[in-house]
Structure formats: C-alpha cells, structure tokens
C-alpha cells in the first residue's frame, strides 16, 4: 500500500527530507512533483501556478532534478557536464556566452569541485559524481532542486558531507531543496522539515515536532531499536 491524500508545502531556503519505508512511493512522489509522470489527482502548484500549466522550457528553468542513477557518460569532462545545466538558456546550438561560463564556474565553486573541472566524469568517485550532478543542477539556476537518494552509494563521511552541503545551499542560496533519503539520523540532524510517508498518509513538520507527536517513534522503533524524542537520537541494542 502506498500513501495517498497528501497535502504539504515546500519553502524557499529550507532543506526538506522525504522519509518512509521501502515501496511507499517516495520515488513516485518525486517523479510526479518533477512532472516526469502525470499526477493521478489533486493539484501541484509552484509559485501559485499549477505545474501542468508550465511548458517544458519553463519547467527546466524552475526545477532541477538529481536522480540516483549514475551518469553514463564517456569522454566528457566535469566542466562539460556542468555546462549542460545551461541548456535551458542557450538555445538550439547550446553555445555558452561569458555569462553562462560565469554561472558554471560559480556552480563549481559552490560545490567545492573547481579542481575536478578537467577530469573525465567516468574517473570520479561516487561522491564526486554526485557533487558534479548537484553543480549541474545549480548551473540550471532553478529555485527548486529535487534529489532522489543523493547519499546512496556513499560512505558515511561522504553522506554527512553531502547532506551538510545541501543544507548550506538551501540556506545560503535560498533554494527550495527536497530530497528522499533512508539516512534517517542525518535527516533528523540537518533537515529543516521532514515529510514522513506512511500507509496512513503524510506527516509534515520539523524533526522536533514529529518527534514530540510520536510519529518518528512509530516509524523508527522496532525490537532492539529505540528512539529518544528529546535528543532525536536512535539507539540500537546489542
């Protein structure tokens, strides 16, 4: 069973994390919000306008999407891949002007990967590739960025660094950043808002609010796993 009758809002300058059990429909929700697939009912609005009323070019300047799949590119440099983020603005031939190049350089700096610019994408580590895809989304200059499991395939220090980066970008660049994740502990520490999908529907609030309402305990706790709603910590019994 997947969640239904969902009502929630995303805000500028906030990192919102989407949690929920496997199979509940997190990726489906992300694809629907991204207009990759049609909604089954209800409405999806961005800036007070129904998403279906935007054309493809308008959406490409409104929403950036970073998927879990690794980019399957050969003989393309990091610089060239990030430059593709400018495609909504460069027209048919994709020629970049000085302003476009400045945006690309700024995007690389924001993510801290300027040194990787000449590297071939297929030679990068998983964490480096994820940063490149985030830089590409930033080069798109969209107010909204959706990410599907951006910490998948990363070791723990890289997961922490990735979530810290996204929280910083939301706050400092005033982006609306929304991501799905199974890294519950990191979401509890770094998210401004949580969307928790369960068969009964969607619970929305800050980590502290959902903890005090008992929603997080019901989601996290199992035999041998306890959750402290005051410190927002998870403990596994030996």
């Amino acid at each position: 069973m997947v969640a239904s009758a969902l009502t929630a809002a995303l805000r500028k300058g906030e990192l919102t994390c989407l949690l929920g059990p496997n199979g509940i429909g997190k990726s489906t929700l992300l694809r629907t919000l991204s207009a990759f697939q049609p909604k089954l009912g209800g409405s999806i609005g961005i800036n007070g306008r129904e998403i279906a009323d935007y054309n493809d070019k308008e959406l490409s300047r409104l929403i950036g999407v970073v998927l879990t799949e690794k980019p399957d590119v050969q003989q393309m440099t990091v610089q060239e891949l990030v430059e593709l983020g400018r495609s909504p603005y460069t027209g048919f031939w994709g020629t970049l002007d000085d302003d476009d190049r400045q945006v690309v350089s700024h995007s690389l700096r924001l993510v801290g990967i300027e040194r990787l610019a000449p590297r071939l994408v297929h030679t990068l580590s998983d964490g480096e590739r994820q940063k490149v895809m985030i830089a590409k989304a930033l080069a798109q200059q969209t107010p909204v960025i959706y990410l599907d499991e951006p910490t998948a395939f990363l070791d723990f220090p890289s997961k922490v660094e990735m979530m810290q980066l996204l929280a910083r970008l939301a706050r400092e660049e005033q982006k609306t950043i929304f991501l799905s994740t199974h890294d519950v502990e990191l979401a509890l520490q770094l998210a401004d808002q949580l969307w928790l999908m369960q068969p009964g529907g969607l619970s929305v609030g800050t980590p502290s609010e959902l903890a005090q309402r008992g929603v997080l305990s019901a989601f996290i706790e199992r035999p041998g796993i306890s959750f402290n709603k005051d410190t927002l910590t998870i403990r596994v019994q030996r």
Side-chain angles (χ1 to χ4, degrees):
M1 181 180 179
V2 298
S4 61
L6 311 181
T7 302
L10 298 169
R11 291 189 286 266
K12 181 173 69 172
E14 292 188 347
L15 172 66
T16 301
C17 291
L18 175 63
L19 305 176
N22 288 330
I24 196 66
K26 296 188 297 297
S27 293
T28 299
L29 176 59
L30 269 172
R31 288 196 300 270
T32 304
L33 292 176
S34 306
F36 286 174
Q37 65 185 52
K39 65 182 187 297
L40 298 178
S43 65
I44 301 171
I46 300 183
N47 293 336
R49 182 177 168 191
E50 172 65 33
I51 194 171
D53 294 335
Y54 290 97
N55 61 40
D56 288 344
K57 185 171 185 178
E58 289 173 327
L59 281 175
S60 70
R61 296 185 177 190
L62 190 64
I63 302 172
V65 182
V66 180
L67 300 176
T68 307
E69 292 80 10
K70 300 175 184 178
D72 184 19
V73 293
Q74 298 291 328
Q75 303 307 314
M76 178 180 284
T77 66
V78 167
Q79 177 84 22
E80 291 167 338
L81 182 54
V82 175
E83 286 175 352
L84 292 178
R86 298 303 297 161
S87 59
Y89 308 92
T90 55
F92 179 78
W93 299 108
T95 303
L96 274 64
D97 60 21
D98 288 341
D99 288 340
D100 292 316
R101 293 188 182 91
Q102 287 181 8
V103 171
V104 169
S105 296
H106 182 60
S107 300
L108 289 166
R109 285 196 302 274
L110 281 175
V111 187
I113 56 171
E114 310 99 301
R115 72 190 188 285
L116 298 180
R119 288 270 302 276
L120 292 174
V121 174
H122 74 271
T123 69
L124 303 177
S125 69
D126 290 337
E128 289 170 336
R129 266 195 300 266
Q130 280 290 59
K131 289 181 179 179
V132 171
M133 298 310 294
I134 291 170
K136 176 177 175 287
L138 289 172
Q140 235 177 296
Q141 289 189 304
T142 59
V144 179
I145 300 176
Y146 297 144
L147 304 99
D148 189 13
E149 291 285 349
T151 57
F153 314 119
L154 304 185
D155 58 37
F156 185 73
S158 298
K159 289 177 186 286
V160 174
E161 184 183 10
M162 182 63 62
M163 291 289 283
Q164 289 173 326
L165 168 65
L166 293 170
R168 176 174 59 81
L169 290 173
R171 184 173 59 253
E172 295 180 1
E173 300 301 314
Q174 285 296 289
K175 301 285 188 182
T176 300
I177 297 185
F178 181 60
L179 63 91
S180 65
T181 183
H182 287 292
D183 292 312
V184 177
E185 290 178 286
L186 290 180
L188 291 175
Q189 294 181 63
L190 294 170
D192 297 296
Q193 295 280 321
L194 297 178
W195 287 18
L196 176 57
M197 290 181 72
Q198 294 181 290
L202 182 69
S203 298
V204 176
T206 67
S208 293
E209 287 170 348
L210 295 191
Q212 295 305 316
R213 283 156 48 187
V215 176
L216 287 173
S217 294
F219 172 60
I220 294 169
E221 291 187 338
R222 299 288 187 275
I225 305 174
S226 60
F227 174 68
N228 187 311
K229 66 180 182 180
D230 296 317
T231 60
L232 301 179
T233 53
I234 301 170
R235 181 169 181 173
V236 179
Q237 299 173 3
R238 299 179 63 179

